[in-house]
Amino acid sequence: MAYSREIEKLERQFAEDPRRFAAPFADAHRKSDEVERALEVIRVGLELNPDYIPGSVILGRCHLDLGDDNGAEAAFSRVLDLDNENVIALKSLADIMERQGRHDEAISFLTYLLDVDRSNDEAKDQLARIRALPTSAAPTVPGAPLAAAPAAPSDLIF
């Protein structure tokens, strides 16, 4: 019940100042598995304050919770437009890229993340894991051109 009181408190604060309290109010809903309500709240906040980085981070997390990688990618890209060293956005985008098999992009985000935050062990491990993948094991991205087939043994010159 304490969490319910917290949401009620945030709801009152949001009603008084939606620019300031949209992100914490939306995040409370998101953490309560009320992701659709969280999206409604955060969109109001971002309409009033489109450059509010925590709002775009919450928007991205809501999209991730819904399994909407495209929406999450757009939200976290917006965060990087506002703060190109935001570690939450860099890590989230790397995760999305890895999940979609866009390994070169994931490597780029992780490399930059490690430039910003050298002690991020999770990013180091993820980068090593992606770099260790065989190229042929990489999942294909819908719409991406297929790699050329390997040469047949009879085509090889010795």
PDB file of all heavy atoms in Angstrom, residues 9-27 37-56 58:
ATOM      1  N   LYS A   9       0.639  10.532  -4.305  1.00  0.00           N
ATOM      2  CA  LYS A   9       1.425  11.746  -4.070  1.00  0.00           C
ATOM      3  C   LYS A   9       1.956  12.298  -5.396  1.00  0.00           C
ATOM      4  O   LYS A   9       1.854  13.505  -5.670  1.00  0.00           O
ATOM      5  CB  LYS A   9       2.574  11.432  -3.112  1.00  0.00           C
ATOM      6  CG  LYS A   9       3.528  12.581  -2.884  1.00  0.00           C
ATOM      7  CD  LYS A   9       4.686  12.137  -2.004  1.00  0.00           C
ATOM      8  CE  LYS A   9       5.841  13.087  -2.124  1.00  0.00           C
ATOM      9  NZ  LYS A   9       7.055  12.556  -1.513  1.00  0.00           N
ATOM     10  N   LEU A  10       2.504  11.420  -6.226  1.00  0.00           N
ATOM     11  CA  LEU A  10       3.033  11.850  -7.520  1.00  0.00           C
ATOM     12  C   LEU A  10       1.920  12.366  -8.429  1.00  0.00           C
ATOM     13  O   LEU A  10       2.128  13.301  -9.205  1.00  0.00           O
ATOM     14  CB  LEU A  10       3.799  10.712  -8.194  1.00  0.00           C
ATOM     15  CG  LEU A  10       5.151  10.385  -7.567  1.00  0.00           C
ATOM     16  CD1 LEU A  10       5.671   9.050  -8.068  1.00  0.00           C
ATOM     17  CD2 LEU A  10       6.145  11.507  -7.842  1.00  0.00           C
ATOM     18  N   GLU A  11       0.748  11.772  -8.326  1.00  0.00           N
ATOM     19  CA  GLU A  11      -0.383  12.234  -9.128  1.00  0.00           C
ATOM     20  C   GLU A  11      -0.758  13.674  -8.764  1.00  0.00           C
ATOM     21  O   GLU A  11      -1.011  14.501  -9.639  1.00  0.00           O
ATOM     22  CB  GLU A  11      -1.576  11.300  -8.953  1.00  0.00           C
ATOM     23  CG  GLU A  11      -2.729  11.632  -9.874  1.00  0.00           C
ATOM     24  CD  GLU A  11      -3.809  10.578  -9.864  1.00  0.00           C
ATOM     25  OE1 GLU A  11      -3.919   9.820  -8.870  1.00  0.00           O
ATOM     26  OE2 GLU A  11      -4.536  10.505 -10.867  1.00  0.00           O
ATOM     27  N   ARG A  12      -0.766  13.963  -7.475  1.00  0.00           N
ATOM     28  CA  ARG A  12      -1.058  15.347  -7.034  1.00  0.00           C
ATOM     29  C   ARG A  12       0.026  16.303  -7.538  1.00  0.00           C
ATOM     30  O   ARG A  12      -0.270  17.385  -8.039  1.00  0.00           O
ATOM     31  CB  ARG A  12      -1.158  15.413  -5.509  1.00  0.00           C
ATOM     32  CG  ARG A  12      -2.437  14.842  -4.938  1.00  0.00           C
ATOM     33  CD  ARG A  12      -2.596  15.155  -3.448  1.00  0.00           C
ATOM     34  NE  ARG A  12      -1.478  14.700  -2.627  1.00  0.00           N
ATOM     35  CZ  ARG A  12      -1.348  13.460  -2.142  1.00  0.00           C
ATOM     36  NH1 ARG A  12      -2.267  12.557  -2.413  1.00  0.00           N
ATOM     37  NH2 ARG A  12      -0.306  13.147  -1.395  1.00  0.00           N
ATOM     38  N   GLN A  13       1.277  15.890  -7.417  1.00  0.00           N
ATOM     39  CA  GLN A  13       2.378  16.743  -7.865  1.00  0.00           C
ATOM     40  C   GLN A  13       2.323  16.946  -9.377  1.00  0.00           C
ATOM     41  O   GLN A  13       2.566  18.054  -9.867  1.00  0.00           O
ATOM     42  CB  GLN A  13       3.718  16.122  -7.454  1.00  0.00           C
ATOM     43  CG  GLN A  13       3.938  16.132  -5.963  1.00  0.00           C
ATOM     44  CD  GLN A  13       5.172  15.339  -5.552  1.00  0.00           C
ATOM     45  OE1 GLN A  13       5.521  14.340  -6.169  1.00  0.00           O
ATOM     46  NE2 GLN A  13       5.818  15.783  -4.479  1.00  0.00           N
ATOM     47  N   PHE A  14       1.990  15.886 -10.096  1.00  0.00           N
ATOM     48  CA  PHE A  14       1.876  15.962 -11.551  1.00  0.00           C
ATOM     49  C   PHE A  14       0.764  16.928 -11.947  1.00  0.00           C
ATOM     50  O   PHE A  14       0.928  17.722 -12.882  1.00  0.00           O
ATOM     51  CB  PHE A  14       1.619  14.562 -12.123  1.00  0.00           C
ATOM     52  CG  PHE A  14       1.345  14.544 -13.605  1.00  0.00           C
ATOM     53  CD1 PHE A  14       2.352  14.778 -14.521  1.00  0.00           C
ATOM     54  CD2 PHE A  14       0.065  14.291 -14.082  1.00  0.00           C
ATOM     55  CE1 PHE A  14       2.110  14.753 -15.889  1.00  0.00           C
ATOM     56  CE2 PHE A  14      -0.191  14.260 -15.435  1.00  0.00           C
ATOM     57  CZ  PHE A  14       0.827  14.494 -16.342  1.00  0.00           C
ATOM     58  N   ALA A  15      -0.343  16.889 -11.233  1.00  0.00           N
ATOM     59  CA  ALA A  15      -1.459  17.798 -11.524  1.00  0.00           C
ATOM     60  C   ALA A  15      -1.044  19.253 -11.313  1.00  0.00           C
ATOM     61  O   ALA A  15      -1.469  20.136 -12.058  1.00  0.00           O
ATOM     62  CB  ALA A  15      -2.665  17.450 -10.655  1.00  0.00           C
ATOM     63  N   GLU A  16      -0.192  19.483 -10.341  1.00  0.00           N
ATOM     64  CA  GLU A  16       0.275  20.841 -10.048  1.00  0.00           C
ATOM     65  C   GLU A  16       1.353  21.310 -11.020  1.00  0.00           C
ATOM     66  O   GLU A  16       1.388  22.475 -11.401  1.00  0.00           O
ATOM     67  CB  GLU A  16       0.822  20.914  -8.617  1.00  0.00           C
ATOM     68  CG  GLU A  16      -0.232  20.748  -7.550  1.00  0.00           C
ATOM     69  CD  GLU A  16       0.370  20.627  -6.156  1.00  0.00           C
ATOM     70  OE1 GLU A  16       1.578  20.962  -5.976  1.00  0.00           O
ATOM     71  OE2 GLU A  16      -0.351  20.196  -5.246  1.00  0.00           O
ATOM     72  N   ASP A  17       2.241  20.413 -11.399  1.00  0.00           N
ATOM     73  CA  ASP A  17       3.374  20.784 -12.249  1.00  0.00           C
ATOM     74  C   ASP A  17       3.763  19.612 -13.154  1.00  0.00           C
ATOM     75  O   ASP A  17       4.724  18.886 -12.876  1.00  0.00           O
ATOM     76  CB  ASP A  17       4.561  21.200 -11.383  1.00  0.00           C
ATOM     77  CG  ASP A  17       5.710  21.790 -12.183  1.00  0.00           C
ATOM     78  OD1 ASP A  17       5.625  21.826 -13.443  1.00  0.00           O
ATOM     79  OD2 ASP A  17       6.706  22.212 -11.562  1.00  0.00           O
ATOM     80  N   PRO A  18       3.013  19.425 -14.258  1.00  0.00           N
ATOM     81  CA  PRO A  18       3.294  18.269 -15.126  1.00  0.00           C
ATOM     82  C   PRO A  18       4.682  18.304 -15.765  1.00  0.00           C
ATOM     83  O   PRO A  18       5.262  17.246 -16.027  1.00  0.00           O
ATOM     84  CB  PRO A  18       2.196  18.325 -16.179  1.00  0.00           C
ATOM     85  CG  PRO A  18       1.568  19.657 -16.062  1.00  0.00           C
ATOM     86  CD  PRO A  18       1.887  20.200 -14.711  1.00  0.00           C
ATOM     87  N   ARG A  19       5.237  19.484 -15.991  1.00  0.00           N
ATOM     88  CA  ARG A  19       6.584  19.561 -16.582  1.00  0.00           C
ATOM     89  C   ARG A  19       7.612  18.922 -15.665  1.00  0.00           C
ATOM     90  O   ARG A  19       8.528  18.252 -16.117  1.00  0.00           O
ATOM     91  CB  ARG A  19       6.980  21.017 -16.826  1.00  0.00           C
ATOM     92  CG  ARG A  19       6.285  21.674 -17.979  1.00  0.00           C
ATOM     93  CD  ARG A  19       6.623  23.164 -18.054  1.00  0.00           C
ATOM     94  NE  ARG A  19       8.045  23.410 -18.148  1.00  0.00           N
ATOM     95  CZ  ARG A  19       8.713  23.649 -19.272  1.00  0.00           C
ATOM     96  NH1 ARG A  19       8.052  23.694 -20.416  1.00  0.00           N
ATOM     97  NH2 ARG A  19       9.994  23.864 -19.266  1.00  0.00           N
ATOM     98  N   ARG A  20       7.450  19.126 -14.380  1.00  0.00           N
ATOM     99  CA  ARG A  20       8.437  18.664 -13.407  1.00  0.00           C
ATOM    100  C   ARG A  20       8.204  17.225 -12.952  1.00  0.00           C
ATOM    101  O   ARG A  20       9.159  16.505 -12.674  1.00  0.00           O
ATOM    102  CB  ARG A  20       8.424  19.593 -12.204  1.00  0.00           C
ATOM    103  CG  ARG A  20       9.447  19.266 -11.184  1.00  0.00           C
ATOM    104  CD  ARG A  20       9.544  20.336 -10.124  1.00  0.00           C
ATOM    105  NE  ARG A  20      10.383  19.876  -9.034  1.00  0.00           N
ATOM    106  CZ  ARG A  20      10.252  20.252  -7.791  1.00  0.00           C
ATOM    107  NH1 ARG A  20       9.323  21.115  -7.461  1.00  0.00           N
ATOM    108  NH2 ARG A  20      11.046  19.794  -6.865  1.00  0.00           N
ATOM    109  N   PHE A  21       6.947  16.807 -12.875  1.00  0.00           N
ATOM    110  CA  PHE A  21       6.653  15.522 -12.255  1.00  0.00           C
ATOM    111  C   PHE A  21       6.184  14.441 -13.223  1.00  0.00           C
ATOM    112  O   PHE A  21       5.837  13.344 -12.800  1.00  0.00           O
ATOM    113  CB  PHE A  21       5.629  15.698 -11.120  1.00  0.00           C
ATOM    114  CG  PHE A  21       6.202  16.432  -9.946  1.00  0.00           C
ATOM    115  CD1 PHE A  21       5.933  17.775  -9.751  1.00  0.00           C
ATOM    116  CD2 PHE A  21       7.055  15.779  -9.059  1.00  0.00           C
ATOM    117  CE1 PHE A  21       6.487  18.458  -8.680  1.00  0.00           C
ATOM    118  CE2 PHE A  21       7.616  16.458  -7.989  1.00  0.00           C
ATOM    119  CZ  PHE A  21       7.334  17.803  -7.790  1.00  0.00           C
ATOM    120  N   ALA A  22       6.191  14.712 -14.516  1.00  0.00           N
ATOM    121  CA  ALA A  22       5.755  13.693 -15.481  1.00  0.00           C
ATOM    122  C   ALA A  22       6.652  12.458 -15.436  1.00  0.00           C
ATOM    123  O   ALA A  22       6.150  11.330 -15.418  1.00  0.00           O
ATOM    124  CB  ALA A  22       5.710  14.268 -16.891  1.00  0.00           C
ATOM    125  N   ALA A  23       7.951  12.647 -15.421  1.00  0.00           N
ATOM    126  CA  ALA A  23       8.867  11.502 -15.456  1.00  0.00           C
ATOM    127  C   ALA A  23       8.737  10.620 -14.212  1.00  0.00           C
ATOM    128  O   ALA A  23       8.565   9.404 -14.344  1.00  0.00           O
ATOM    129  CB  ALA A  23      10.311  11.962 -15.659  1.00  0.00           C
ATOM    130  N   PRO A  24       8.786  11.173 -12.992  1.00  0.00           N
ATOM    131  CA  PRO A  24       8.650  10.277 -11.837  1.00  0.00           C
ATOM    132  C   PRO A  24       7.267   9.629 -11.747  1.00  0.00           C
ATOM    133  O   PRO A  24       7.151   8.459 -11.368  1.00  0.00           O
ATOM    134  CB  PRO A  24       8.923  11.167 -10.622  1.00  0.00           C
ATOM    135  CG  PRO A  24       8.981  12.552 -11.108  1.00  0.00           C
ATOM    136  CD  PRO A  24       9.145  12.528 -12.595  1.00  0.00           C
ATOM    137  N   PHE A  25       6.231  10.367 -12.132  1.00  0.00           N
ATOM    138  CA  PHE A  25       4.876   9.808 -12.098  1.00  0.00           C
ATOM    139  C   PHE A  25       4.736   8.695 -13.135  1.00  0.00           C
ATOM    140  O   PHE A  25       4.212   7.609 -12.850  1.00  0.00           O
ATOM    141  CB  PHE A  25       3.859  10.929 -12.332  1.00  0.00           C
ATOM    142  CG  PHE A  25       2.418  10.526 -12.210  1.00  0.00           C
ATOM    143  CD1 PHE A  25       1.974   9.689 -11.199  1.00  0.00           C
ATOM    144  CD2 PHE A  25       1.485  11.016 -13.104  1.00  0.00           C
ATOM    145  CE1 PHE A  25       0.632   9.335 -11.085  1.00  0.00           C
ATOM    146  CE2 PHE A  25       0.144  10.677 -13.002  1.00  0.00           C
ATOM    147  CZ  PHE A  25      -0.275   9.826 -11.989  1.00  0.00           C
ATOM    148  N   ALA A  26       5.231   8.925 -14.332  1.00  0.00           N
ATOM    149  CA  ALA A  26       5.174   7.903 -15.382  1.00  0.00           C
ATOM    150  C   ALA A  26       5.998   6.678 -14.986  1.00  0.00           C
ATOM    151  O   ALA A  26       5.566   5.545 -15.189  1.00  0.00           O
ATOM    152  CB  ALA A  26       5.677   8.473 -16.707  1.00  0.00           C
ATOM    153  N   ASP A  27       7.176   6.900 -14.417  1.00  0.00           N
ATOM    154  CA  ASP A  27       8.021   5.776 -14.036  1.00  0.00           C
ATOM    155  C   ASP A  27       7.370   4.949 -12.931  1.00  0.00           C
ATOM    156  O   ASP A  27       7.494   3.719 -12.920  1.00  0.00           O
ATOM    157  CB  ASP A  27       9.400   6.254 -13.608  1.00  0.00           C
ATOM    158  CG  ASP A  27      10.450   5.171 -13.704  1.00  0.00           C
ATOM    159  OD1 ASP A  27      10.378   4.333 -14.639  1.00  0.00           O
ATOM    160  OD2 ASP A  27      11.357   5.145 -12.853  1.00  0.00           O
ATOM    161  N   ARG A  37      -0.559   3.593 -19.146  1.00  0.00           N
ATOM    162  CA  ARG A  37      -0.792   4.830 -18.384  1.00  0.00           C
ATOM    163  C   ARG A  37       0.511   5.627 -18.303  1.00  0.00           C
ATOM    164  O   ARG A  37       0.509   6.848 -18.416  1.00  0.00           O
ATOM    165  CB  ARG A  37      -1.326   4.500 -16.980  1.00  0.00           C
ATOM    166  CG  ARG A  37      -1.504   5.708 -16.095  1.00  0.00           C
ATOM    167  CD  ARG A  37      -2.613   6.639 -16.576  1.00  0.00           C
ATOM    168  NE  ARG A  37      -2.766   7.756 -15.648  1.00  0.00           N
ATOM    169  CZ  ARG A  37      -2.832   9.025 -16.009  1.00  0.00           C
ATOM    170  NH1 ARG A  37      -2.817   9.352 -17.291  1.00  0.00           N
ATOM    171  NH2 ARG A  37      -2.953   9.978 -15.123  1.00  0.00           N
ATOM    172  N   ALA A  38       1.628   4.942 -18.117  1.00  0.00           N
ATOM    173  CA  ALA A  38       2.926   5.619 -18.076  1.00  0.00           C
ATOM    174  C   ALA A  38       3.186   6.361 -19.381  1.00  0.00           C
ATOM    175  O   ALA A  38       3.660   7.504 -19.375  1.00  0.00           O
ATOM    176  CB  ALA A  38       4.036   4.610 -17.798  1.00  0.00           C
ATOM    177  N   LEU A  39       2.852   5.731 -20.507  1.00  0.00           N
ATOM    178  CA  LEU A  39       3.041   6.382 -21.810  1.00  0.00           C
ATOM    179  C   LEU A  39       2.183   7.634 -21.923  1.00  0.00           C
ATOM    180  O   LEU A  39       2.646   8.664 -22.432  1.00  0.00           O
ATOM    181  CB  LEU A  39       2.705   5.419 -22.946  1.00  0.00           C
ATOM    182  CG  LEU A  39       3.790   4.416 -23.313  1.00  0.00           C
ATOM    183  CD1 LEU A  39       3.259   3.388 -24.291  1.00  0.00           C
ATOM    184  CD2 LEU A  39       5.005   5.111 -23.882  1.00  0.00           C
ATOM    185  N   GLU A  40       0.940   7.564 -21.459  1.00  0.00           N
ATOM    186  CA  GLU A  40       0.058   8.735 -21.499  1.00  0.00           C
ATOM    187  C   GLU A  40       0.675   9.886 -20.713  1.00  0.00           C
ATOM    188  O   GLU A  40       0.722  11.029 -21.186  1.00  0.00           O
ATOM    189  CB  GLU A  40      -1.309   8.400 -20.896  1.00  0.00           C
ATOM    190  CG  GLU A  40      -2.149   7.431 -21.684  1.00  0.00           C
ATOM    191  CD  GLU A  40      -3.385   6.987 -20.904  1.00  0.00           C
ATOM    192  OE1 GLU A  40      -3.748   7.626 -19.896  1.00  0.00           O
ATOM    193  OE2 GLU A  40      -3.987   5.968 -21.311  1.00  0.00           O
ATOM    194  N   VAL A  41       1.143   9.588 -19.520  1.00  0.00           N
ATOM    195  CA  VAL A  41       1.708  10.613 -18.638  1.00  0.00           C
ATOM    196  C   VAL A  41       2.968  11.211 -19.234  1.00  0.00           C
ATOM    197  O   VAL A  41       3.126  12.441 -19.294  1.00  0.00           O
ATOM    198  CB  VAL A  41       1.987  10.024 -17.237  1.00  0.00           C
ATOM    199  CG1 VAL A  41       2.805  10.988 -16.385  1.00  0.00           C
ATOM    200  CG2 VAL A  41       0.680   9.654 -16.540  1.00  0.00           C
ATOM    201  N   ILE A  42       3.865  10.365 -19.699  1.00  0.00           N
ATOM    202  CA  ILE A  42       5.151  10.880 -20.184  1.00  0.00           C
ATOM    203  C   ILE A  42       4.976  11.676 -21.474  1.00  0.00           C
ATOM    204  O   ILE A  42       5.699  12.643 -21.717  1.00  0.00           O
ATOM    205  CB  ILE A  42       6.212   9.768 -20.307  1.00  0.00           C
ATOM    206  CG1 ILE A  42       7.616  10.383 -20.237  1.00  0.00           C
ATOM    207  CG2 ILE A  42       6.046   8.943 -21.562  1.00  0.00           C
ATOM    208  CD1 ILE A  42       7.905  11.149 -18.979  1.00  0.00           C
ATOM    209  N   ARG A  43       4.002  11.305 -22.277  1.00  0.00           N
ATOM    210  CA  ARG A  43       3.755  12.082 -23.501  1.00  0.00           C
ATOM    211  C   ARG A  43       3.268  13.483 -23.170  1.00  0.00           C
ATOM    212  O   ARG A  43       3.645  14.447 -23.850  1.00  0.00           O
ATOM    213  CB  ARG A  43       2.781  11.343 -24.401  1.00  0.00           C
ATOM    214  CG  ARG A  43       3.439  10.154 -25.084  1.00  0.00           C
ATOM    215  CD  ARG A  43       2.512   9.423 -26.021  1.00  0.00           C
ATOM    216  NE  ARG A  43       3.219   8.337 -26.678  1.00  0.00           N
ATOM    217  CZ  ARG A  43       2.733   7.121 -26.830  1.00  0.00           C
ATOM    218  NH1 ARG A  43       1.519   6.819 -26.402  1.00  0.00           N
ATOM    219  NH2 ARG A  43       3.446   6.193 -27.432  1.00  0.00           N
ATOM    220  N   VAL A  44       2.443  13.612 -22.133  1.00  0.00           N
ATOM    221  CA  VAL A  44       2.016  14.943 -21.687  1.00  0.00           C
ATOM    222  C   VAL A  44       3.239  15.747 -21.252  1.00  0.00           C
ATOM    223  O   VAL A  44       3.415  16.905 -21.643  1.00  0.00           O
ATOM    224  CB  VAL A  44       0.988  14.840 -20.529  1.00  0.00           C
ATOM    225  CG1 VAL A  44       0.760  16.197 -19.870  1.00  0.00           C
ATOM    226  CG2 VAL A  44      -0.329  14.262 -21.031  1.00  0.00           C
ATOM    227  N   GLY A  45       4.077  15.125 -20.448  1.00  0.00           N
ATOM    228  CA  GLY A  45       5.272  15.815 -19.966  1.00  0.00           C
ATOM    229  C   GLY A  45       6.200  16.225 -21.090  1.00  0.00           C
ATOM    230  O   GLY A  45       6.730  17.343 -21.091  1.00  0.00           O
ATOM    231  N   LEU A  46       6.382  15.353 -22.074  1.00  0.00           N
ATOM    232  CA  LEU A  46       7.278  15.679 -23.185  1.00  0.00           C
ATOM    233  C   LEU A  46       6.691  16.710 -24.135  1.00  0.00           C
ATOM    234  O   LEU A  46       7.440  17.441 -24.786  1.00  0.00           O
ATOM    235  CB  LEU A  46       7.680  14.407 -23.938  1.00  0.00           C
ATOM    236  CG  LEU A  46       8.661  13.517 -23.181  1.00  0.00           C
ATOM    237  CD1 LEU A  46       8.840  12.176 -23.882  1.00  0.00           C
ATOM    238  CD2 LEU A  46      10.006  14.212 -22.995  1.00  0.00           C
ATOM    239  N   GLU A  47       5.362  16.791 -24.204  1.00  0.00           N
ATOM    240  CA  GLU A  47       4.750  17.882 -24.984  1.00  0.00           C
ATOM    241  C   GLU A  47       5.090  19.227 -24.365  1.00  0.00           C
ATOM    242  O   GLU A  47       5.344  20.194 -25.069  1.00  0.00           O
ATOM    243  CB  GLU A  47       3.224  17.714 -25.017  1.00  0.00           C
ATOM    244  CG  GLU A  47       2.716  16.936 -26.180  1.00  0.00           C
ATOM    245  CD  GLU A  47       1.190  16.898 -26.214  1.00  0.00           C
ATOM    246  OE1 GLU A  47       0.541  17.897 -25.854  1.00  0.00           O
ATOM    247  OE2 GLU A  47       0.669  15.841 -26.603  1.00  0.00           O
ATOM    248  N   LEU A  48       5.074  19.274 -23.046  1.00  0.00           N
ATOM    249  CA  LEU A  48       5.359  20.515 -22.327  1.00  0.00           C
ATOM    250  C   LEU A  48       6.848  20.812 -22.257  1.00  0.00           C
ATOM    251  O   LEU A  48       7.254  21.972 -22.175  1.00  0.00           O
ATOM    252  CB  LEU A  48       4.786  20.443 -20.907  1.00  0.00           C
ATOM    253  CG  LEU A  48       3.277  20.288 -20.812  1.00  0.00           C
ATOM    254  CD1 LEU A  48       2.862  19.983 -19.383  1.00  0.00           C
ATOM    255  CD2 LEU A  48       2.581  21.548 -21.324  1.00  0.00           C
ATOM    256  N   ASN A  49       7.664  19.774 -22.266  1.00  0.00           N
ATOM    257  CA  ASN A  49       9.100  19.939 -22.100  1.00  0.00           C
ATOM    258  C   ASN A  49       9.830  18.896 -22.957  1.00  0.00           C
ATOM    259  O   ASN A  49      10.347  17.906 -22.448  1.00  0.00           O
ATOM    260  CB  ASN A  49       9.455  19.770 -20.608  1.00  0.00           C
ATOM    261  CG  ASN A  49      10.859  20.206 -20.284  1.00  0.00           C
ATOM    262  OD1 ASN A  49      11.600  20.668 -21.146  1.00  0.00           O
ATOM    263  ND2 ASN A  49      11.238  20.044 -19.032  1.00  0.00           N
ATOM    264  N   PRO A  50       9.879  19.113 -24.274  1.00  0.00           N
ATOM    265  CA  PRO A  50      10.431  18.100 -25.189  1.00  0.00           C
ATOM    266  C   PRO A  50      11.913  17.801 -24.997  1.00  0.00           C
ATOM    267  O   PRO A  50      12.384  16.748 -25.420  1.00  0.00           O
ATOM    268  CB  PRO A  50      10.154  18.679 -26.575  1.00  0.00           C
ATOM    269  CG  PRO A  50       9.861  20.118 -26.372  1.00  0.00           C
ATOM    270  CD  PRO A  50       9.397  20.294 -24.961  1.00  0.00           C
ATOM    271  N   ASP A  51      12.647  18.688 -24.355  1.00  0.00           N
ATOM    272  CA  ASP A  51      14.078  18.482 -24.161  1.00  0.00           C
ATOM    273  C   ASP A  51      14.416  17.902 -22.788  1.00  0.00           C
ATOM    274  O   ASP A  51      15.589  17.882 -22.393  1.00  0.00           O
ATOM    275  CB  ASP A  51      14.843  19.794 -24.360  1.00  0.00           C
ATOM    276  CG  ASP A  51      14.757  20.284 -25.795  1.00  0.00           C
ATOM    277  OD1 ASP A  51      14.458  19.472 -26.689  1.00  0.00           O
ATOM    278  OD2 ASP A  51      14.989  21.488 -26.022  1.00  0.00           O
ATOM    279  N   TYR A  52      13.418  17.405 -22.071  1.00  0.00           N
ATOM    280  CA  TYR A  52      13.620  16.848 -20.740  1.00  0.00           C
ATOM    281  C   TYR A  52      14.146  15.420 -20.874  1.00  0.00           C
ATOM    282  O   TYR A  52      13.407  14.499 -21.215  1.00  0.00           O
ATOM    283  CB  TYR A  52      12.308  16.902 -19.953  1.00  0.00           C
ATOM    284  CG  TYR A  52      12.425  16.511 -18.502  1.00  0.00           C
ATOM    285  CD1 TYR A  52      13.370  17.100 -17.661  1.00  0.00           C
ATOM    286  CD2 TYR A  52      11.573  15.567 -17.967  1.00  0.00           C
ATOM    287  CE1 TYR A  52      13.463  16.750 -16.333  1.00  0.00           C
ATOM    288  CE2 TYR A  52      11.657  15.208 -16.627  1.00  0.00           C
ATOM    289  CZ  TYR A  52      12.597  15.804 -15.820  1.00  0.00           C
ATOM    290  OH  TYR A  52      12.692  15.451 -14.500  1.00  0.00           O
ATOM    291  N   ILE A  53      15.430  15.255 -20.640  1.00  0.00           N
ATOM    292  CA  ILE A  53      16.099  13.971 -20.860  1.00  0.00           C
ATOM    293  C   ILE A  53      15.472  12.835 -20.046  1.00  0.00           C
ATOM    294  O   ILE A  53      15.203  11.772 -20.619  1.00  0.00           O
ATOM    295  CB  ILE A  53      17.617  14.105 -20.607  1.00  0.00           C
ATOM    296  CG1 ILE A  53      18.237  15.002 -21.686  1.00  0.00           C
ATOM    297  CG2 ILE A  53      18.296  12.744 -20.576  1.00  0.00           C
ATOM    298  CD1 ILE A  53      19.669  15.397 -21.433  1.00  0.00           C
ATOM    299  N   PRO A  54      15.213  13.002 -18.747  1.00  0.00           N
ATOM    300  CA  PRO A  54      14.597  11.893 -18.009  1.00  0.00           C
ATOM    301  C   PRO A  54      13.252  11.459 -18.603  1.00  0.00           C
ATOM    302  O   PRO A  54      12.914  10.279 -18.564  1.00  0.00           O
ATOM    303  CB  PRO A  54      14.427  12.438 -16.587  1.00  0.00           C
ATOM    304  CG  PRO A  54      15.497  13.474 -16.464  1.00  0.00           C
ATOM    305  CD  PRO A  54      15.566  14.103 -17.834  1.00  0.00           C
ATOM    306  N   GLY A  55      12.516  12.393 -19.184  1.00  0.00           N
ATOM    307  CA  GLY A  55      11.256  12.043 -19.828  1.00  0.00           C
ATOM    308  C   GLY A  55      11.463  11.136 -21.026  1.00  0.00           C
ATOM    309  O   GLY A  55      10.750  10.140 -21.200  1.00  0.00           O
ATOM    310  N   SER A  56      12.455  11.444 -21.840  1.00  0.00           N
ATOM    311  CA  SER A  56      12.737  10.596 -23.008  1.00  0.00           C
ATOM    312  C   SER A  56      13.287   9.241 -22.595  1.00  0.00           C
ATOM    313  O   SER A  56      13.024   8.233 -23.253  1.00  0.00           O
ATOM    314  CB  SER A  56      13.710  11.307 -23.956  1.00  0.00           C
ATOM    315  OG  SER A  56      13.066  12.411 -24.563  1.00  0.00           O
ATOM    316  N   ILE A  58      12.409   7.635 -19.812  1.00  0.00           N
ATOM    317  CA  ILE A  58      11.222   6.886 -19.368  1.00  0.00           C
ATOM    318  C   ILE A  58      10.414   6.444 -20.581  1.00  0.00           C
ATOM    319  O   ILE A  58       9.923   5.304 -20.626  1.00  0.00           O
ATOM    320  CB  ILE A  58      10.355   7.732 -18.414  1.00  0.00           C
ATOM    321  CG1 ILE A  58      11.131   8.102 -17.152  1.00  0.00           C
ATOM    322  CG2 ILE A  58       9.056   6.999 -18.066  1.00  0.00           C
ATOM    323  CD1 ILE A  58      11.683   6.952 -16.367  1.00  0.00           C
TER     324      ILE A  58
END
